[in-house]
Amino acid sequence: MPKTKTQLWDAAHHLESKEDIAAYLEAVLEDGDPALITAALGDVARSKGMTQISRDTGLGRESLYKALSIEGNPEFATILKVFQALGLRLQVTAVESESCV
């Protein structure tokens, strides 16, 4: 029997349009896991080119790779700069819940 060849799946290779990117980030934000959100933003930044995101944000490329990894813990200002460099914005929506005022 021939050996099965596998390859790691990388979300960055599948984020081709702003709509793809928005849907991906919305799904991750709904999950609410901060590490997953950071890593997903890193996927999006890699899909657009980390060097270009680095130029657009004024942040170092290596620093961005580290901050936007699953182990990263970026400052909120970094997150906002990356969103801006990607041509995206965060939007707040009220959630219906009995525990919220």
Side-chain angles (χ1 to χ4, degrees), residues 41 57 59 63-64 67-68 73-84:
L41 191 55
T57 61
L59 302 169
S63 297
L64 283 172
L68 301 178
N73 189 20
E75 293 184 9
F76 192 63
T78 300
I79 300 279
L80 292 177
K81 286 179 183 181
V82 172
F83 266 89
Q84 184 177 11

Side-chain angles (χ1 to χ4, degrees), residues 15-26:
L15 300 170
E16 298 175 356
S17 69
K18 282 194 176 186
E19 292 77 19
D20 293 341
I21 292 168
Y24 180 55
L25 290 175
E26 281 182 28

Side-chain angles (χ1 to χ4, degrees), residues 29-87:
L29 286 165
E30 282 182 20
D31 184 83
D33 179 354
L36 186 58
I37 293 166
T38 300
L41 191 55
D43 292 339
V44 173
R46 286 186 302 105
S47 78
K48 293 298 181 186
M50 199 63 87
T51 300
Q52 185 61 49
I53 300 300
S54 174
R55 283 187 201 121
D56 293 346
T57 61
L59 302 169
R61 189 175 58 83
E62 291 300 321
S63 297
L64 283 172
Y65 273 113
K66 184 177 177 182
L68 301 178
S69 71
I70 196 80
E71 298 88 18
N73 189 20
E75 293 184 9
F76 192 63
T78 300
I79 300 279
L80 292 177
K81 286 179 183 181
V82 172
F83 266 89
Q84 184 177 11
L86 292 168

